[in-house]
Amino acid sequence: MADESIRVLVVDDQAAVREGLATLLDLTPGIEVVGTARDGAHAVQLVAEQQPAVVLMDLHMPGMDGIQATEQITREYPGVRVVVLTTYADDASIQGALRAGALGYLTKDADRTQIARAVQAAAGGQSVLDEAVQRRLIAAIGSTATSPEAAAAAPPIPAAPPAGLTAREVDVLRLIAAGRSNPEIAKELFVSEATVKTHINHVFAKTGARDRAQAVRFAYEHGLVADS
């Protein structure tokens, strides 16, 4: 049974918070806390040592913060999923964390069930966002949408995308299918080229594609892009 548990690393600069979260999660069936970290640099170190499946990451910490740690972890250990758990739900924090590669984002108002669900979803490659975070993202997306025609042309992202793809990976795959280069994808999604490369590597690994052409074929076969 232990081998089936989701291995989790808890990161928070406040000892009482991280110990409380560790205890809470250890009491949840199917979840095993393999370590706790006091800051971003410590988190990166423990990810290398413990190889967790999910990192529950605070954002605002001294030294290396959660956004910097998330970017390094998702770049160097692409199989590790990061879920942010923070008191902050401002646009800069949310967008910074998601651009860095976080798969989930919760505020510390979340209860035990919500946190456990987010960890389980992340382990399965699915994203979970706090309701307040979703509202802010929808507002941001609405204010930066390119055109009504483009929005209408793209099929809706399925609730459970094929091959365990995340919503952001579907976005990247659609842009690949549209013929965008890595720099163009980075500009359109407001992320770094390194983050785009990480997403593309995830897309290739999950879909079994060896190159962009195969990835595009996968997208069309699974209805992720509209036939022209």
Side-chain angles (χ1 to χ4, degrees):
M1 291 293 293
D3 290 342
E4 300 174 0
S5 296
I6 301 168
R7 294 168 58 84
V8 178
L9 174 67
V10 175
V11 187
D12 199 289
D13 63 328
Q14 298 183 39
V17 173
R18 65 176 179 266
E19 290 167 7
L21 286 169
T23 300
L24 179 152
L25 289 171
D26 259 337
L27 292 173
T28 304
I31 294 177
E32 175 191 4
V33 175
V34 296
T36 62
R38 60 187 174 273
D39 55 35
H42 192 202
V44 173
Q45 174 190 335
L46 289 183
V47 166
E49 294 174 1
Q50 299 297 331
Q51 297 294 307
V54 178
V55 177
L56 195 61
M57 180 76 74
D58 190 19
L59 284 188
H60 295 271
M61 298 179 288
M64 179 184 284
D65 66 21
I67 291 177
Q68 293 171 310
T70 296
E71 186 167 18
Q72 184 170 344
I73 289 168
T74 56
R75 181 178 69 249
E76 296 181 2
Y77 307 95
V80 178
R81 312 299 189 184
V82 177
V83 174
V84 168
L85 181 64
T86 181
T87 56
Y88 301 90
D90 57 282
D91 290 348
S93 296
I94 296 168
Q95 294 178 23
L98 297 181
R99 288 171 184 171
L103 193 57
Y105 196 111
L106 300 176
T107 65
K108 288 182 178 176
D109 292 333
D111 60 26
R112 170 182 171 177
T113 300
Q114 291 171 316
I115 295 171
R117 186 184 302 125
V119 167
Q120 293 159 347
Q126 302 299 312
S127 177
V128 172
L129 301 176
D130 183 275
E131 287 185 9
V133 172
Q134 290 186 46
R135 288 195 296 270
R136 295 190 77 97
L137 281 176
I138 290 169
I141 291 169
S143 66
T144 58
T146 53
S147 70
E149 293 79 8
I157 295 176
L165 293 171
T166 66
R168 178 44 60 97
E169 288 163 359
V170 171
D171 289 339
V172 170
L173 181 52
R174 286 174 168 175
L175 290 171
I176 291 173
R180 302 290 201 279
S181 65
N182 285 9
E184 290 171 334
I185 294 173
K187 183 177 180 180
E188 189 153 344
L189 296 181
F190 303 98
V191 298
S192 68
E193 287 187 47
T195 299
V196 170
K197 290 178 182 177
T198 298
H199 287 314
I200 291 174
N201 286 338
H202 290 172
V203 169
F204 283 6
K206 291 179 179 181
T207 64
R210 292 191 300 271
D211 53 32
R212 288 182 176 238
Q214 290 188 352
V216 170
R217 185 167 63 219
F218 178 95
Y220 278 100
E221 288 174 349
H222 290 82
L224 297 179
V225 293
D227 290 322
S228 55

